[in-house]
């Protein structure tokens, strides 16, 4: 009889033993479906030695596996990566494995799927709801559930439209092959510096062993063109390439760019895919047929059949850190994947993370530098506007020098970008009479006014409500006022100052789909936009040659809150957004509105002194024992019942480990004391780099009884301290 140890796709259990039915074979790595109680659950056949021994189960009590799924087995290096991730981030291995095997892995790729699309016929009975639904669906197609979500109606409405003939069924094959990218389709004519960098990257791919390369070049230096050469080398060798991007919104322009270089679009992987696309992509990735995959961080764990190189673009971005479920950092795990699979990992950035530069300094990463912008374009001039000396008019947000600069560009027919990292109209609504602030009922957060859609919204839990007419506290009429600006409010100011200017607001609210992002790019490139007002969504990736002015509306915004990376993040964000200016032949200008022009980060930006800034920042971190010279981990205990959460936190506090060099802060209410209706308490651990934090935590939480109503989130190397 053959036994198999199976790691199931559940966070709740470790590996379990099963019997392999006589007619099947299930070598290590096989993807299987197993019985678990009354349920069927996917899993992978795993080494006996991993995760310690499960409870011995007699042969006679073993249950049969239901099925060995006909997909390639999960290779050993990827199994090691799952174990490493689980160990390092203290996450259940089954939860990590779910990122390798999403639902698409178990769907039969050969079975066609029925999707629906508009026929253009008007149903005989047209309701306002149907009209809106058809409008929202437009030219897109998808399964009933997906169209319902897209149109924000029930499944029944979609089915009704099918019956009425307004939507028709199309059969979609999920195993249709993708077009093969052609590395020789349109190679660029590289500058000498670019060619030197590209040849180093190509060499690393050819060597086919683990190495991390930091591709460090100013904005517009051609990093993308250069790393595409590494990708070309992988394809020439018959291998696959993975490009990780920090944001879904960046995928669309990147797909177009890859199509121009390789003759066809790469395979996209992100949460916005339809389930047919997801199924098709997963199977092509596992078979090795998907040659170039461009995706969000979730693409990192997929079981590539024949991976040759990983590129992490904008590698300094903190959005690579996942903040729920498995709290992993995709940049760091990408490097580990390269280590286990023996392949090069390229981290591309104009403003590398201090962590990455420290690795260069330690001799662990190869540093490849592109010092200048491509094609003779110069870097923009940066200047600070001291908001204490040059304040905006009352009730306005743009200081006179910035207003003048905007007027100047409008006059010359050039484009401008105003950056403010705040969605909506105003971050706070306040009662003038009693001082009441409108708060989210579920979170320790203010409700943000979104005037375009007439809503107050919580950016933490998504709670929305109509703006009240009366103060909810004192019931005074017309006493509520909006405090502070969001992008919508800045756009209002622009429109009132320059009624002729054509504006575009760019946030995740307005660019919520790839189609919207593409439309925005077309409009800007086509000269239909004079002034862009946007959040961090517009700070990277875009290349608009006629954009010559960038205004940073509130450069101090990110400095509040005392986050250890606040200065670094501010530097990166402003340097990135500044990098949008003057990318064509006309030089760029960047105006930074700040109340602290003397702060080291502002001074360094204006003086274009990156090295000086990083050196000072590194020295301060070293002094404080902060990352990358020391380590943090956070434990957040949460419960709907505040006493339960407090009780667990206190018991943890009482049993806290004591060790040389280890400091534990708390338990204390987390800065975000309530989130989604759960009360949160936090313990923060701080230790030297060499300290085994994970071991200490594992040991510690093992000594506590957990009430069912309390939940623990562990964040190793946290980036968010709320
Ligand atoms: P980065 O990623 O460093 O910001 P990009 O790769 O986006 O830089 O390059 C900036 C712009 O210059 C892009 O429009 C790109 O197509 C163009 N470019 C860079 N290098 C070349 C080259 N060798 N030949 C043609 N165009 C180039
Ligand atoms: Zn909320």
């Amino acid at each position: 009889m053959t036994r198999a140890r199976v790691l199931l796709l559940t966070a709740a259990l470790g590996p379990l033993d099963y019997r392999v039915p006589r007619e099947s074979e299930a070598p290590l790595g096989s993807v299987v479906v197993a019985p678990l109680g009354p349920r069927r659950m996917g899993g992978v056949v795993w080494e006996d030695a991993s995760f310690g021994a499960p409870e011995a189960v007699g042969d006679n009590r073993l249950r049969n596996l239901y099925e060995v799924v006909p997909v390639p087995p999960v290779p050993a290096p990827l199994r090691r990566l799952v174990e490493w991730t689980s160990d390092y981030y203290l996450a259940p291995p089954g939860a990590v494995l779910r990122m390798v095997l999403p639902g698409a892995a178990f769907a039969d790729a050969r079975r066609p799927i029925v999707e629906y699309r508009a026929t253009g016929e008007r149903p005989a009975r047209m309701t306002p709801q149907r009209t809106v639904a058809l409008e929202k669906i437009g030219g897109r197609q998808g399964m009933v559930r997906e169209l319902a979500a897209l149109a924000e109606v029930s499944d029944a409405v979609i089915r009704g439209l099918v019956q009425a003939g307004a939507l028709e069924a199309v059969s979609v094959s999920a195993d249709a092959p993708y077009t093969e990218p052609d590395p020789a389709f349109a190679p660029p004519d590289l500058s000498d510096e670019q060619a030197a960098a590209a040849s180093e990257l190509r060499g690393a791919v050819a060597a086919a062993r683990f190495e991390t390369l930091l591709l460090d070049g100013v904005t517009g230096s051609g990093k993308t063109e250069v790393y595409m050469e590494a990708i070309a080398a992988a394809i020439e060798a018959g291998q696959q390439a993975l490009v990780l991007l920090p944001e879904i919104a960046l995928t669309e322009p990147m797909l177009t760019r890859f199509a121009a270089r390789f003759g066809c679009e790469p395979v996209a992987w992100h949460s916005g895919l339809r389930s047919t696309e997801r199924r098709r992509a997963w199977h092509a990735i596992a078979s090795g047929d998907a040659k170039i995959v461009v995706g969000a961080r979730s693409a990192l764990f997929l079981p590539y059949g024949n991976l040759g190189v990983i590129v992490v673009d904008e590698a300094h971005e903190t959005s690579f850190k996942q903040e729920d479920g498995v709290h992993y950092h995709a940049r760091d795990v990408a490097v580990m994947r390269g280590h286990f699979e023996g392949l090069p990992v390229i981290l591309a950035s104009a403003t590398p993370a201090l962590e990455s530069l420290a690795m260069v300094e330690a001799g662990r990463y190869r540093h490849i530098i592109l010092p200048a912008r491509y094609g003779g374009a110069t870097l923009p001039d940066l200047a600070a506007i001291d908001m204490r000396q040059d304040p905006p008019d009352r009730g306005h947000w743009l200081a006179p020098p910035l207003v003048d600069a905007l007027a100047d560009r409008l006059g010359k027919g050039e484009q401008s970008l105003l950056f403010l990292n705040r969605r909506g109209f105003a971050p706070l609504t306040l009662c003038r009479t009693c001082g009441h602030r409108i708060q989210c009922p579920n979170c320790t957060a203010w409700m943000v006014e979104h005037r375009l859609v007439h809503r107050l919204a919580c950016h933490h839990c998504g709670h929305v409500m109509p703006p009240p007419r009366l103060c909810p506290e004192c019931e005074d009429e017309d006493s509520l006022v909006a405090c502070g600006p969001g992008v919508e409010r800045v756009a209002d100011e622009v429109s009132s100052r320059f009624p002729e200017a054509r504006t575009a607001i760019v946030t995740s609210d307005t660019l919520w789909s790839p189609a919207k992002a593409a439309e925005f790019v077309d409009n800007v490139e086509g000269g239909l936009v004079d002034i862009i007002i946007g959040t961090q969504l517009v700070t990277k990736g875009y290349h608009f040659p006629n954009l010559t002015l960038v205004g940073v509306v509130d450069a101090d915004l990110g400095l509040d809150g005392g986050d250890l990376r606040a200065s670094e993040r501010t530097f990166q964000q402003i340097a990135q957004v500044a990098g949008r200016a003057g990318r064509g032949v006309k030089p760029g200008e960047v105006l930074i509105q700040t109340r602290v022009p003397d702060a080291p980060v502002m001074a360094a930006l204006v003086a274009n002194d990156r090295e000086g800034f990083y050196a000072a920042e590194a020295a301060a971190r070293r002094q404080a024992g902060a990352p990358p010279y020391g380590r943090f981990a956070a434990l957040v205990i949460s419960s709907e019942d505040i006493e339960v959460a407090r009780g667990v936190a206190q018991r943890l506090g009482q049993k806290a480990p004591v060790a040389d060099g280890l400091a534990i802060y708390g338990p204390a209410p987390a800065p975000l004391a309530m989130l989604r209706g759960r009360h949160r308490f936090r313990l923060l651990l701080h230790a030297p780099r060499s300290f085994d934090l994970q071991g200490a935590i594992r040991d510690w939480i093992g000594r506590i009884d957990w009430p069912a109503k309390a939940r623990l989130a562990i964040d190793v190397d946290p980036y968010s301290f709320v």
Side-chain angles (χ1 to χ4, degrees):
M1 192 214 65
T2 339
R3 296 171 78 109
R5 183 151 295 175
V6 175
L7 181 58
L8 294 167
L9 293 169
T10 166
L13 294 169
L16 295 177
D17 286 347
Y18 289 92
R19 178 190 297 125
V20 183
R22 195 157 293 134
E23 65 283 4
S24 311
E25 272 182 58
L28 285 175
S30 298
V31 179
V32 300
V33 179
L36 184 67
R39 290 191 296 160
R40 298 167 63 86
M41 186 165 289
V44 169
V45 177
W46 218 267
E47 283 83 352
D48 280 356
S50 304
F51 310 120
E55 213 177 304
V57 176
D59 281 356
N60 55 340
R61 288 181 43 222
L62 284 184
R63 297 179 72 180
N64 271 348
L65 289 176
Y66 283 135
E67 186 194 348
V68 179
V69 183
V71 295
V74 174
L78 185 50
R79 299 203 297 278
R80 299 295 81 77
L81 185 74
V82 169
E83 290 168 3
W84 180 87
T85 306
S86 156
D87 260 11
Y88 188 88
Y89 292 105
L90 297 164
V96 181
L97 188 61
R98 270 206 291 251
M99 299 192 279
V100 178
L101 298 173
F106 296 90
D108 184 351
R110 290 157 304 184
R111 211 189 64 226
I113 298 168
V114 179
E115 292 188 337
Y116 296 88
R117 67 170 174 223
T119 54
E121 303 278 302
R122 272 178 66 88
R125 196 175 60 80
M126 203 55 171
T127 62
Q129 195 184 32
R130 286 183 163 187
T131 312
V132 175
L134 284 175
E135 209 167 277
K136 286 193 177 157
I137 290 168
R140 280 169 290 207
Q141 71 179 52
M143 289 159 63
V144 170
R145 174 170 42 83
E146 291 161 345
L147 292 185
L150 188 68
E152 294 173 84
V153 295
S154 68
D155 289 9
V157 173
I158 300 295
R159 285 201 206 91
L161 285 168
V162 174
Q163 301 229 299
L167 296 175
E168 65 180 351
V170 239
S171 170
V172 180
S173 136
D175 65 350
Y178 289 97
T179 315
E180 289 258 328
D182 174 6
F185 182 78
D189 204 354
L190 297 176
S191 70
D192 290 349
E193 278 159 355
Q194 290 177 338
S199 109
E200 287 202 57
L201 297 188
R202 274 182 170 274
V205 173
R209 56 181 149 69
F210 170 55
E211 187 182 8
T212 309
L213 304 102
L214 179 64
L215 178 59
D216 179 357
V218 295
T219 52
S221 57
K223 292 183 295 296
T224 315
E225 300 292 337
V226 167
Y227 75 60
M228 286 205 265
E229 292 310 294
I231 292 170
I235 301 170
E236 285 159 14
Q239 295 174 311
Q240 296 169 285
L242 164 63
V243 182
L244 292 179
L245 300 176
E247 232 138 332
I248 301 188
L250 290 176
T251 15
E252 197 61 21
M254 207 49 122
L255 297 182
T256 314
R257 222 169 141 181
F258 271 80
R261 169 68 181 81
F262 294 102
C264 66
E265 283 199 355
V267 176
W269 182 274
H270 52 72
S271 58
L273 294 186
R274 307 191 329 259
S275 62
T276 47
E277 294 171 317
R278 188 171 279 279
R279 180 179 299 196
R280 183 176 172 213
W282 189 89
H283 285 88
I285 285 167
S287 69
D289 290 340
K291 292 299 182 204
I292 307 176
V293 179
V294 172
R297 58 176 184 250
S298 60
L300 174 61
F301 283 95
L302 300 176
Y304 297 85
N306 185 16
L307 192 57
V309 64
I310 302 176
V311 178
V312 184
D313 201 359
E314 313 285 4
H316 61 279
E317 278 292 326
T318 47
S319 51
F320 282 118
K321 177 72 197 304
Q322 174 147 307
E323 297 292 357
D324 50 19
V326 182
H327 287 59
Y328 70 98
H329 197 305
R331 178 196 64 215
D332 297 346
V333 179
V335 171
M336 286 315 291
R337 183 159 192 167
H339 165 76
F340 285 118
E341 302 200 1
L343 51 87
V345 180
I346 299 168
L347 310 180
S349 174
T351 50
L354 213 59
E355 279 82 356
S356 303
L357 288 169
M359 293 301 267
V360 166
E361 209 161 285
R364 308 269 295 272
Y365 293 0
R366 191 176 352 165
H367 202 185
I368 299 178
I369 300 172
L370 291 172
R373 277 191 160 178
Y374 172 74
T378 51
L379 281 169
D381 270 334
L382 280 76
I385 298 176
D386 186 340
M387 296 293 268
R388 297 165 308 184
Q389 279 175 17
D390 263 326
D393 304 339
R394 240 188 102 73
H396 291 71
W397 316 101
L398 305 176
L402 182 52
V403 174
D404 292 345
L406 286 169
D408 174 64
R409 303 309 136 124
L410 274 172
K412 290 198 259 182
E414 296 173 10
Q415 294 166 317
S416 304
L417 163 63
L418 294 174
F419 167 61
L420 175 64
N421 207 14
R422 213 190 250 144
R423 291 157 51 209
F425 183 83
L428 170 65
T429 304
L430 178 86
C431 172
R432 231 180 337 214
T433 309
C434 74
H436 178 72
R437 299 159 173 219
I438 300 186
Q439 240 203 342
C440 173
N442 313 317
C443 308
T444 316
W446 296 329
M447 295 295 286
V448 178
E449 181 180 357
H450 286 248
R451 198 163 279 189
L452 294 176
V453 291
H454 292 287
R455 286 279 183 282
L456 300 184
C458 171
H459 287 180
H460 293 282
C461 72
H463 177 76
V464 289
M465 60 196 213
R469 206 173 50 81
L470 309 178
C471 169
E473 191 66 22
C474 71
E475 306 198 337
D476 210 359
E477 216 168 314
D478 297 323
S479 69
L480 294 171
V481 285
C483 294
V487 282
E488 290 178 12
R489 198 168 198 177
V490 172
D492 267 11
E493 179 175 344
V494 168
S495 299
S496 71
R497 287 185 188 277
F498 308 109
E500 73 287 6
R502 296 158 303 171
T503 59
I505 299 178
V506 178
T507 71
S508 51
D509 303 307
T510 61
L511 247 61
W512 45 268
S513 75
K516 287 274 175 198
E519 186 186 319
F520 162 68
V521 172
D522 285 349
N523 286 345
V524 180
E525 285 178 347
L528 301 178
V529 174
D530 300 309
I531 302 176
I532 304 166
I533 303 105
T535 58
Q536 46 82 31
L537 212 57
V538 281
T539 58
K540 38 192 180 277
Y542 296 108
H543 180 74
F544 300 130
N546 197 34
L547 199 160
T548 57
L549 172 69
V550 166
V552 180
V553 177
D554 184 354
D556 311 336
L557 196 59
L559 291 178
D560 303 342
D563 183 328
L564 76 95
R565 294 183 181 83
S567 290
E568 181 189 358
R569 206 132 55 183
T570 297
F571 185 89
Q572 289 164 336
Q573 210 159 51
I574 295 178
Q576 286 288 342
V577 70
R580 298 313 108 201
R583 295 172 71 94
V585 284
K586 297 171 207 154
E589 180 185 11
V590 181
L591 295 174
I592 304 169
Q593 299 196 145
T594 172
R595 304 184 61 81
V596 286
D598 300 327
V601 51
M602 303 302 164
L605 280 161
V606 169
N608 189 19
D609 181 16
R610 189 184 101 168
E611 300 323 311
F613 171 75
Y614 276 121
E617 184 69 14
R621 296 260 192 103
R622 197 187 291 272
Q623 177 77 29
Y629 309 101
R631 315 183 53 197
F632 284 101
L635 305 187
V636 173
I637 300 99
S638 69
S639 174
E640 283 171 11
D641 183 335
I642 187 166
E643 291 314 323
V644 170
R646 195 199 315 270
V648 177
Q650 280 170 349
R651 263 180 289 143
L652 270 172
Q654 283 152 9
K655 301 208 173 168
V658 180
D660 240 12
L662 174 66
I664 298 182
Y665 309 105
L672 200 52
M674 189 158 91
L675 178 63
R676 296 189 191 94
R678 301 179 70 86
H679 299 273
R680 305 166 77 241
F681 287 82
R682 190 182 70 166
L683 288 134
L684 194 61
L685 292 81
H686 183 196
R689 261 186 78 86
S690 55
F691 190 86
D692 176 18
L693 259 188
Q694 285 90 341
I697 295 173
R698 215 176 272 123
D699 196 54
W700 181 15
I701 58 180
R703 284 184 272 138
I704 305 278
D705 294 325
W706 286 93
K709 283 159 70 188
R711 205 183 291 158
L712 170 67
I714 305 178
D715 195 353
V716 176
D717 304 340
Y719 277 69
S720 158
F721 289 83
V722 297

